[in-house]
Amino acid sequence: MFDMEKFSLNGKIALITGASYGIGFAIATAYARAGATIVFNDINEELVAKGMAAYEAEGIKAHGYVCDVTNEDAVNELIAKVEKEVGVIDVLVNNAGIIKRTPMLEMSAKDFRQVIDIDLNGPFIMSKAVLPSMIQKGHGKIINICSMMSELGRETVSAYAAAKGGLKMLTRNICSEFGSHNIQCNGIGPGYIATPQTAPLREIQPDGSRHPFDQFIIAKTPAARWGNPEDLMGPAVFLASDASDFVNGHVLYVDGGILAYIGKQPE
Ligand code: NAP
Ligand code: GCO
């Protein structure tokens, strides 16, 4: 017998990384509305304070912590602190991420490594830290925020595409290694979403026209619009809920149809 309560997050504790604003903030807000207790981290005190104020403005009592997802010692301390102060994490969303848009021949190995470190090593470190308690508890959800670049390349994003392609395969590997513990690890692959990370791609040009890349994405998206962080809320709640307990190793693309579409044909 199906019960809509399966979509509820009542009683669950969710940790969303890099969630002071943007996609992470939207997902955390949706989780709070679905009944979860919200825990989030960000890279510095100022961002955590900004996030706390934003959650409070939404009527959400969040637990915010400063933690760099690439620092394994700091992450292990974070998880121990959260388990002591809030409780065992039921849902981890690996959302924190950066992008560097640089032609490959101009990109330093240092910059390439930094993107891989945050976007791929970070989710590995965070997942490794929460899995023992999920195994002990007998269930858990890990959701990795992938990308169109988990499937497609484009000029200037070599490091980001490599990281997000790796994150898709890390998702499948966590599924494979921990599925028997009733732990589901899935990805969400947002399309082009209007957040600070993509703001440079949407800047209005000096002549008042839309950015060429903005026009490009509109032509590549059947929905003929950029996504909003709110478009990710429903899919994120589904993947965190009991309703998705037999969905594992999957990347759910929330892209307005980009991956299915060759692009708007000439008139
Ligand atoms: P965003 O606006 O740049 O927010 C990312 C958040 O992660 C920021 O708060 C950032 O802090 C934080 N962060 C960066 N490095 C960190 C670290 N080492 N430890 C902890 N937190 C860290 O990005 P977004 O657009 O919301 O995207 C969120 C996720 O979705 C990212 O993984 C991104 O790759 C992915 N994504 C975005 C889009 C899109 O179109 N926007 C589409 C597909 C996937 P700072 O402010 O200091 O950088
Ligand atoms: C870019 C964009 C994309 C989006 C997203 C698409 O420069 O191409 O930033 O990478 O962030 O990852 O899914």
Side-chain angles (χ1 to χ4, degrees):
M1 178 67 179
F2 183 75
D3 177 357
M4 284 302 286
E5 188 57 26
K6 275 190 172 287
F7 286 94
S8 164
L9 302 184
N10 282 330
K12 293 186 188 285
I13 296 172
L15 167 57
I16 305 93
T17 66
S20 294
Y21 60 89
I23 287 172
F25 180 80
I27 290 175
T29 302
Y31 285 6
R33 300 279 183 261
T37 297
I38 300 307
V39 180
F40 76 101
N41 72 297
D42 221 308
I43 195 75
N44 59 45
E45 208 47 78
E46 183 192 354
L47 274 170
V48 170
K50 173 183 171 183
M52 289 297 283
Y55 287 114
E56 191 176 353
E58 294 289 330
I60 297 168
K61 183 188 174 308
H63 303 264
Y65 298 85
V66 176
C67 183
D68 176 345
V69 296
T70 66
N71 181 329
E72 191 164 18
D73 290 341
V75 166
N76 290 330
E77 283 167 29
L78 167 70
I79 300 307
K81 192 169 186 183
V82 169
E83 290 186 351
K84 185 176 171 205
E85 296 177 355
V86 186
V88 169
I89 293 159
D90 299 294
V91 182
L92 169 67
V93 179
N94 285 308
N95 167 77
I98 66 166
I99 191 167
K100 288 185 185 295
R101 301 183 182 97
T102 311
M104 188 168 161
L105 294 181
E106 297 166 27
M107 178 172 254
S108 67
K110 178 175 178 285
D111 279 354
F112 188 93
R113 285 194 189 97
Q114 186 190 12
V115 175
I116 298 290
D117 204 18
I118 294 167
D119 294 10
L120 182 55
N121 294 345
F124 167 77
I125 291 166
M126 288 299 307
S127 301
K128 202 176 143 207
V130 302
L131 277 163
S133 294
M134 288 182 173
I135 291 168
Q136 198 168 4
K137 200 167 184 180
H139 72 74
K141 300 276 187 179
I142 295 177
I143 297 157
N144 293 320
I145 307 301
C146 296
S147 161
M148 295 286 95
M149 276 58 223
S150 297
E151 302 293 342
L152 302 169
R154 86 171 180 84
E155 300 84 355
T156 75
V157 293
S158 58
Y160 184 81
K164 292 299 186 180
L167 187 56
K168 174 175 74 171
M169 288 315 300
L170 178 63
T171 300
R172 291 179 179 168
N173 218 71
I174 293 171
C175 153
S176 306
E177 202 159 335
F178 300 99
S180 61
H181 295 284
N182 188 29
I183 292 167
Q184 292 84 46
C185 181
N186 291 289
I188 288 177
Y192 279 82
I193 312 294
T195 70
Q197 190 245 52
T198 55
L201 305 174
R202 291 178 281 109
E203 273 172 5
I204 297 299
Q205 302 301 283
D207 66 0
S209 64
R210 298 177 75 149
H211 192 293
F213 195 90
D214 179 358
Q215 298 178 50
F216 170 69
I217 290 303
I218 298 298
K220 289 286 283 181
T221 309
R225 68 172 175 89
W226 284 71
N228 296 304
E230 293 70 26
D231 290 315
L232 300 164
M233 288 175 154
V237 168
F238 166 64
L239 289 178
S241 75
D242 297 345
S244 63
D245 280 357
F246 205 56
V247 178
N248 212 348
H250 182 74
V251 178
L252 176 54
Y253 286 99
V254 185
D255 65 354
I258 294 178
L259 286 180
Y261 187 40
I262 196 169
K264 190 164 184 55
Q265 60 193 28
E267 295 292 333

